[in-house]
Amino acid sequence: MYRGSFAPPPAQSPPLHHPTPNAGYGGNPYQPSPAQGGNPNYAGGPGFGQFMTDPTAQMGFQVGKSAMMAGQEYMESNFNRYISIPALKHYFNVSNSYVLNKLILVLFPWRHKPWSRQQARMPASAGPDGQITQQQYSSMFLPPRDDLNSPDMYIPVMAVVTYILLSVLLAGFRGNFHPELLGSITTTAIAVIVFEILCLKMAMYILSINNDSQLLDLVAYSGYKFVGIIATLVASEILMPGRGTGGWVGWTVFMYTFLANAFFLLRSLKYVLLPDSTDSTMQTGMHTVARGQRNRRTQFLFVYSYVIQFIFMWILSREAASGPLSENCVGTSEIRRANLDYPTFFDNNPPTHPNPSTTAFAMADIDVKLASWKLVEVGRLVLIRSGPFAGKLAAIVEIVDHRRVLVDGPSGEEQKIVPRHVLALAHASLTPFTIPQLPRAAGTGPVKKLWAKNEIDAKWTKSNFAQKTDRVQRRKNLTDFERFKVLRLRKQARYEVQKSFAKVRATKA
């Protein structure tokens, strides 16, 4: 197939290709050829070409394009009402060298000079004669990648995400992780940020700061505290693993990072909140303020840099640096056992040994107690419900899988002995009785000794369930004459009860 040149041919050049009567598809040399895929209706096919040239389709395309442009303009106008996208792009214009040097500056700001931000003179639109005069120049701050003192939002955003992930990771190292922890730390961090932004917005209103760029500067500076918090968490975990920030190492590193962050904010925000009265508006990019307003801004700068930042950093470091997991939390090998009442269906006098089926554990800040749970465990007594040993008691000596257990019932009574065998859990009922300290896969001899020591047969005989089972079994074994006597005795008992009620009603009447 002949492929023409992309460049337009000269005006006097002859045609590059002349179709012949035998060329093309279907005998028509001027009919567009189908696509390489072989579909005659695709792209250059007659159906699609007619659709593209149809006036109705063209009008539909124009209407759709106009609707999309109107929707885009509406979204941009409403979104830019709250947040300026071009202004946000300025704060994310960073480089690798800037990020590294800025982190060093935030952690070690003591010997840095100067703190003033650099500016660039940008030419404005030309005058009527096409010449740009000196008065038509405007100044603007350089982006963060060109000025180390310029605030950015890349480091604060990444620091917040790193703080959340690092806190969850350290909790996992201490064995204190649970799914609610991720949401709790994220909620605390976002709540601190939102509350701080609201405080800054209120302070800007009180201090008569009406420049939107100054608000974005304050929001950017408020996020640098997370860098110090991350350094505190990492140093505390490396030097004193498992202690969090509660030890002397954690407090030492925390106080250093707090003072470094406060000094950094004090020096940086000075040129945002306290413009020099000797500079002109063109040089500083903001109007001068009165002396009384300047004093109020100085007081706010001190309170914000030291008092507010200390409170927020302490809250965030305490939230992320929880101590070792207590004994009643999930994930530990120590389980707090409690003695709770068992269902009266089995026994009126439950055993006095600790019940491992009752576990108290903590989820977030809520203590949840799982009471009266009978667990499948070694030493648990089961009642066999079907099979050749139905109605007999046995103890679990080993767990085969999630459906089968190995049981052994060395009862003191010959007719109640259950030989060792594998029993399906579907054919057994768990009882509230257990043999404490029964070793796994113990032989019949040790099981028999512990069985007799804990008086399992006597306890089972006194239980309500055993007594009810015994009554049902005796009723099944009655003869016809014995069932007739039971019937007559029941009638006699009802007669005596009715006679007593009649006497009582007569006495009251």
Side-chain angles (χ1 to χ4, degrees), residues 188-229:
T188 303
I190 295 177
V192 169
I193 294 174
V194 172
F195 182 75
E196 188 170 0
I197 292 176
L198 293 178
C199 292
L200 291 175
K201 193 70 175 177
M202 185 180 300
M204 288 185 62
Y205 175 76
I206 297 175
L207 299 177
S208 301
I209 302 176
N210 300 322
N211 194 350
D212 293 337
S213 63
Q214 289 179 291
L215 175 62
L216 295 178
D217 289 344
L218 294 176
V219 173
Y221 281 119
S222 66
Y224 288 114
K225 71 171 75 65
F226 288 94
V227 177
I229 297 174

Short mmCIF file of all heavy atoms in Angstrom, two decimals, residues 188-229:
data_model
loop_
_atom_site.label_atom_id
_atom_site.label_comp_id
_atom_site.label_asym_id
_atom_site.label_seq_id
_atom_site.Cartn_x
_atom_site.Cartn_y
_atom_site.Cartn_z
N THR A 188 -7.47 11.19 64.71
CA THR A 188 -6.80 12.16 65.59
C THR A 188 -5.95 13.14 64.79
O THR A 188 -5.99 14.36 65.03
CB THR A 188 -5.94 11.42 66.61
OG1 THR A 188 -6.74 10.51 67.36
CG2 THR A 188 -5.28 12.41 67.56
N ALA A 189 -5.18 12.63 63.82
CA ALA A 189 -4.33 13.52 63.02
C ALA A 189 -5.16 14.51 62.21
O ALA A 189 -4.86 15.71 62.16
CB ALA A 189 -3.44 12.68 62.09
N ILE A 190 -6.22 14.01 61.57
CA ILE A 190 -7.07 14.90 60.77
C ILE A 190 -7.79 15.91 61.66
O ILE A 190 -7.94 17.09 61.30
CB ILE A 190 -8.07 14.07 59.95
CG1 ILE A 190 -7.33 13.20 58.92
CG2 ILE A 190 -9.08 14.97 59.24
CD1 ILE A 190 -8.23 12.31 58.12
N ALA A 191 -8.24 15.47 62.84
CA ALA A 191 -8.92 16.40 63.76
C ALA A 191 -7.97 17.51 64.21
O ALA A 191 -8.38 18.69 64.30
CB ALA A 191 -9.47 15.63 64.95
N VAL A 192 -6.72 17.17 64.50
CA VAL A 192 -5.75 18.19 64.91
C VAL A 192 -5.51 19.18 63.78
O VAL A 192 -5.45 20.40 63.99
CB VAL A 192 -4.44 17.52 65.35
CG1 VAL A 192 -3.32 18.54 65.51
CG2 VAL A 192 -4.64 16.79 66.68
N ILE A 193 -5.38 18.67 62.55
CA ILE A 193 -5.13 19.56 61.41
C ILE A 193 -6.31 20.48 61.18
O ILE A 193 -6.14 21.70 60.98
CB ILE A 193 -4.83 18.71 60.16
CG1 ILE A 193 -3.51 17.93 60.35
CG2 ILE A 193 -4.74 19.59 58.93
CD1 ILE A 193 -3.22 16.96 59.23
N VAL A 194 -7.53 19.92 61.20
CA VAL A 194 -8.72 20.75 60.96
C VAL A 194 -8.89 21.79 62.06
O VAL A 194 -9.18 22.97 61.80
CB VAL A 194 -9.96 19.85 60.86
CG1 VAL A 194 -11.23 20.69 60.81
CG2 VAL A 194 -9.88 18.96 59.63
N PHE A 195 -8.68 21.39 63.32
CA PHE A 195 -8.81 22.34 64.42
C PHE A 195 -7.76 23.44 64.33
O PHE A 195 -8.05 24.60 64.60
CB PHE A 195 -8.69 21.59 65.75
CG PHE A 195 -8.85 22.47 66.96
CD1 PHE A 195 -10.11 22.93 67.33
CD2 PHE A 195 -7.76 22.86 67.71
CE1 PHE A 195 -10.27 23.75 68.44
CE2 PHE A 195 -7.91 23.68 68.82
CZ PHE A 195 -9.17 24.12 69.18
N GLU A 196 -6.55 23.07 63.93
CA GLU A 196 -5.51 24.08 63.80
C GLU A 196 -5.82 25.05 62.66
O GLU A 196 -5.58 26.26 62.78
CB GLU A 196 -4.16 23.40 63.56
CG GLU A 196 -2.97 24.35 63.59
CD GLU A 196 -1.66 23.61 63.59
OE1 GLU A 196 -1.68 22.36 63.57
OE2 GLU A 196 -0.61 24.29 63.61
N ILE A 197 -6.36 24.55 61.55
CA ILE A 197 -6.73 25.44 60.44
C ILE A 197 -7.84 26.38 60.86
O ILE A 197 -7.84 27.58 60.51
CB ILE A 197 -7.14 24.60 59.22
CG1 ILE A 197 -5.91 23.86 58.66
CG2 ILE A 197 -7.75 25.47 58.14
CD1 ILE A 197 -6.23 22.94 57.51
N LEU A 198 -8.81 25.88 61.64
CA LEU A 198 -9.88 26.75 62.14
C LEU A 198 -9.33 27.83 63.06
O LEU A 198 -9.76 28.99 63.00
CB LEU A 198 -10.94 25.92 62.86
CG LEU A 198 -11.76 24.95 61.99
CD1 LEU A 198 -12.73 24.16 62.85
CD2 LEU A 198 -12.52 25.71 60.91
N CYS A 199 -8.39 27.43 63.91
CA CYS A 199 -7.77 28.44 64.78
C CYS A 199 -7.02 29.49 63.97
O CYS A 199 -7.06 30.70 64.28
CB CYS A 199 -6.82 27.76 65.77
SG CYS A 199 -7.65 26.72 66.99
N LEU A 200 -6.31 29.06 62.91
CA LEU A 200 -5.60 30.00 62.07
C LEU A 200 -6.56 30.93 61.34
O LEU A 200 -6.30 32.14 61.20
CB LEU A 200 -4.73 29.24 61.06
CG LEU A 200 -3.53 28.47 61.63
CD1 LEU A 200 -2.86 27.66 60.53
CD2 LEU A 200 -2.54 29.42 62.27
N LYS A 201 -7.68 30.37 60.88
CA LYS A 201 -8.67 31.20 60.19
C LYS A 201 -9.24 32.24 61.15
O LYS A 201 -9.41 33.42 60.76
CB LYS A 201 -9.79 30.29 59.66
CG LYS A 201 -10.71 30.96 58.67
CD LYS A 201 -10.03 31.22 57.35
CE LYS A 201 -11.01 31.80 56.34
NZ LYS A 201 -10.35 32.13 55.06
N MET A 202 -9.53 31.86 62.38
CA MET A 202 -10.05 32.82 63.35
C MET A 202 -9.00 33.87 63.70
O MET A 202 -9.31 35.07 63.82
CB MET A 202 -10.49 32.07 64.61
CG MET A 202 -11.15 32.95 65.66
SD MET A 202 -11.64 32.00 67.11
CE MET A 202 -12.77 30.83 66.36
N ALA A 203 -7.75 33.43 63.83
CA ALA A 203 -6.68 34.39 64.14
C ALA A 203 -6.47 35.37 62.99
O ALA A 203 -6.21 36.56 63.22
CB ALA A 203 -5.39 33.63 64.44
N MET A 204 -6.59 34.88 61.76
CA MET A 204 -6.45 35.79 60.61
C MET A 204 -7.56 36.84 60.60
O MET A 204 -7.33 38.00 60.24
CB MET A 204 -6.46 34.99 59.31
CG MET A 204 -5.22 34.17 59.07
SD MET A 204 -5.25 33.36 57.47
CE MET A 204 -5.29 34.78 56.39
N TYR A 205 -8.76 36.44 60.99
CA TYR A 205 -9.86 37.40 61.05
C TYR A 205 -9.62 38.44 62.14
O TYR A 205 -9.86 39.64 61.95
CB TYR A 205 -11.16 36.66 61.29
CG TYR A 205 -12.35 37.57 61.49
CD1 TYR A 205 -12.94 38.21 60.41
CD2 TYR A 205 -12.87 37.79 62.77
CE1 TYR A 205 -14.04 39.05 60.59
CE2 TYR A 205 -13.95 38.63 62.95
CZ TYR A 205 -14.54 39.25 61.86
OH TYR A 205 -15.61 40.09 62.05
N ILE A 206 -9.13 37.97 63.30
CA ILE A 206 -8.89 38.90 64.41
C ILE A 206 -7.73 39.84 64.09
O ILE A 206 -7.76 41.03 64.41
CB ILE A 206 -8.64 38.11 65.71
CG1 ILE A 206 -9.89 37.30 66.08
CG2 ILE A 206 -8.25 39.04 66.84
CD1 ILE A 206 -9.70 36.40 67.28
N LEU A 207 -6.69 39.29 63.45
CA LEU A 207 -5.49 40.08 63.16
C LEU A 207 -5.59 40.83 61.84
O LEU A 207 -4.60 41.42 61.40
CB LEU A 207 -4.27 39.15 63.14
CG LEU A 207 -3.97 38.41 64.44
CD1 LEU A 207 -2.79 37.48 64.28
CD2 LEU A 207 -3.72 39.39 65.58
N SER A 208 -6.74 40.76 61.16
CA SER A 208 -6.98 41.50 59.90
C SER A 208 -5.99 41.09 58.82
O SER A 208 -5.39 41.92 58.13
CB SER A 208 -6.88 43.01 60.15
OG SER A 208 -7.83 43.41 61.10
N ILE A 209 -5.80 39.78 58.68
CA ILE A 209 -4.96 39.24 57.60
C ILE A 209 -5.91 38.77 56.52
O ILE A 209 -6.58 37.75 56.66
CB ILE A 209 -4.07 38.09 58.10
CG1 ILE A 209 -3.18 38.57 59.25
CG2 ILE A 209 -3.22 37.53 56.97
CD1 ILE A 209 -2.34 37.47 59.85
N ASN A 210 -5.98 39.50 55.43
CA ASN A 210 -6.94 39.23 54.38
C ASN A 210 -6.33 38.60 53.14
O ASN A 210 -7.02 38.33 52.18
CB ASN A 210 -7.66 40.53 53.97
CG ASN A 210 -8.41 41.15 55.13
OD1 ASN A 210 -9.00 40.44 55.94
ND2 ASN A 210 -8.37 42.47 55.22
N ASN A 211 -5.03 38.38 53.15
CA ASN A 211 -4.37 37.80 51.98
C ASN A 211 -4.52 36.29 52.00
O ASN A 211 -4.16 35.64 52.98
CB ASN A 211 -2.89 38.19 51.97
CG ASN A 211 -2.24 37.90 50.63
OD1 ASN A 211 -2.84 37.25 49.77
ND2 ASN A 211 -1.02 38.38 50.46
N ASP A 212 -5.05 35.72 50.91
CA ASP A 212 -5.25 34.27 50.86
C ASP A 212 -3.94 33.52 50.85
O ASP A 212 -3.84 32.41 51.38
CB ASP A 212 -6.07 33.89 49.62
CG ASP A 212 -7.50 34.42 49.70
OD1 ASP A 212 -7.95 34.66 50.83
OD2 ASP A 212 -8.14 34.59 48.64
N SER A 213 -2.91 34.11 50.24
CA SER A 213 -1.63 33.42 50.21
C SER A 213 -1.04 33.27 51.60
O SER A 213 -0.35 32.29 51.90
CB SER A 213 -0.65 34.18 49.30
OG SER A 213 -0.40 35.48 49.82
N GLN A 214 -1.30 34.23 52.49
CA GLN A 214 -0.81 34.11 53.86
C GLN A 214 -1.50 32.95 54.59
O GLN A 214 -0.88 32.28 55.40
CB GLN A 214 -1.03 35.42 54.61
CG GLN A 214 -0.12 36.54 54.13
CD GLN A 214 -0.37 37.83 54.86
OE1 GLN A 214 -1.42 38.45 54.69
NE2 GLN A 214 0.56 38.23 55.68
N LEU A 215 -2.79 32.70 54.31
CA LEU A 215 -3.47 31.55 54.91
C LEU A 215 -2.83 30.24 54.43
O LEU A 215 -2.60 29.33 55.24
CB LEU A 215 -4.95 31.58 54.55
CG LEU A 215 -5.76 30.36 55.02
CD1 LEU A 215 -5.73 30.25 56.53
CD2 LEU A 215 -7.20 30.44 54.51
N LEU A 216 -2.54 30.13 53.16
CA LEU A 216 -1.88 28.92 52.65
C LEU A 216 -0.49 28.76 53.26
O LEU A 216 -0.04 27.64 53.52
CB LEU A 216 -1.81 28.96 51.13
CG LEU A 216 -3.16 28.93 50.39
CD1 LEU A 216 -2.95 29.03 48.90
CD2 LEU A 216 -3.92 27.66 50.73
N ASP A 217 0.20 29.87 53.47
CA ASP A 217 1.51 29.78 54.13
C ASP A 217 1.37 29.24 55.55
O ASP A 217 2.16 28.37 55.98
CB ASP A 217 2.16 31.16 54.17
CG ASP A 217 2.62 31.62 52.80
OD1 ASP A 217 2.71 30.75 51.90
OD2 ASP A 217 2.88 32.81 52.62
N LEU A 218 0.38 29.72 56.29
CA LEU A 218 0.19 29.24 57.66
C LEU A 218 -0.20 27.77 57.68
O LEU A 218 0.26 27.00 58.55
CB LEU A 218 -0.89 30.08 58.35
CG LEU A 218 -0.54 31.55 58.59
CD1 LEU A 218 -1.73 32.28 59.19
CD2 LEU A 218 0.66 31.69 59.48
N VAL A 219 -1.05 27.34 56.75
CA VAL A 219 -1.41 25.92 56.67
C VAL A 219 -0.19 25.06 56.37
O VAL A 219 -0.01 23.98 56.95
CB VAL A 219 -2.52 25.71 55.62
CG1 VAL A 219 -2.79 24.23 55.42
CG2 VAL A 219 -3.79 26.43 56.04
N ALA A 220 0.67 25.54 55.47
CA ALA A 220 1.88 24.79 55.14
C ALA A 220 2.83 24.71 56.33
O ALA A 220 3.37 23.64 56.64
CB ALA A 220 2.58 25.43 53.94
N TYR A 221 3.00 25.83 57.03
CA TYR A 221 3.91 25.81 58.19
C TYR A 221 3.36 24.94 59.32
O TYR A 221 4.14 24.38 60.10
CB TYR A 221 4.12 27.24 58.70
CG TYR A 221 5.11 28.03 57.88
CD1 TYR A 221 4.73 29.20 57.22
CD2 TYR A 221 6.43 27.62 57.75
CE1 TYR A 221 5.63 29.94 56.48
CE2 TYR A 221 7.34 28.35 57.00
CZ TYR A 221 6.93 29.50 56.36
OH TYR A 221 7.83 30.21 55.61
N SER A 222 2.04 24.82 59.44
CA SER A 222 1.48 24.01 60.53
C SER A 222 1.74 22.52 60.35
O SER A 222 1.60 21.76 61.31
CB SER A 222 -0.03 24.26 60.63
OG SER A 222 -0.69 23.79 59.45
N GLY A 223 2.07 22.08 59.14
CA GLY A 223 2.29 20.65 58.91
C GLY A 223 3.70 20.18 59.18
O GLY A 223 3.96 18.97 59.17
N TYR A 224 4.63 21.10 59.43
CA TYR A 224 6.02 20.69 59.66
C TYR A 224 6.22 20.03 61.02
O TYR A 224 7.27 19.44 61.28
CB TYR A 224 6.96 21.89 59.54
CG TYR A 224 7.13 22.37 58.12
CD1 TYR A 224 6.67 23.63 57.73
CD2 TYR A 224 7.75 21.58 57.17
CE1 TYR A 224 6.81 24.07 56.42
CE2 TYR A 224 7.91 22.03 55.86
CZ TYR A 224 7.43 23.27 55.49
OH TYR A 224 7.58 23.69 54.20
N LYS A 225 5.22 20.14 61.91
CA LYS A 225 5.36 19.51 63.22
C LYS A 225 5.44 17.99 63.12
O LYS A 225 6.02 17.32 63.98
CB LYS A 225 4.18 19.91 64.11
CG LYS A 225 2.86 19.28 63.69
CD LYS A 225 1.76 19.50 64.70
CE LYS A 225 1.25 20.91 64.66
NZ LYS A 225 0.59 21.26 63.40
N PHE A 226 4.83 17.41 62.07
CA PHE A 226 4.84 15.97 61.92
C PHE A 226 6.25 15.43 61.66
O PHE A 226 6.51 14.26 61.94
CB PHE A 226 3.89 15.55 60.79
CG PHE A 226 2.45 15.70 61.14
CD1 PHE A 226 1.75 16.85 60.81
CD2 PHE A 226 1.77 14.70 61.82
CE1 PHE A 226 0.42 16.99 61.13
CE2 PHE A 226 0.43 14.83 62.14
CZ PHE A 226 -0.24 15.98 61.80
N VAL A 227 7.12 16.25 61.12
CA VAL A 227 8.50 15.81 60.92
C VAL A 227 9.17 15.55 62.26
O VAL A 227 9.85 14.53 62.47
CB VAL A 227 9.29 16.86 60.10
CG1 VAL A 227 10.74 16.45 59.95
CG2 VAL A 227 8.64 17.05 58.74
N GLY A 228 9.01 16.46 63.21
CA GLY A 228 9.57 16.25 64.54
C GLY A 228 8.93 15.09 65.28
O GLY A 228 9.61 14.35 66.00
N ILE A 229 7.62 14.89 65.09
CA ILE A 229 6.96 13.76 65.74
C ILE A 229 7.48 12.44 65.20
O ILE A 229 7.73 11.48 65.95
CB ILE A 229 5.44 13.88 65.56
CG1 ILE A 229 4.91 15.14 66.25
CG2 ILE A 229 4.73 12.65 66.13
CD1 ILE A 229 3.45 15.42 65.99
#
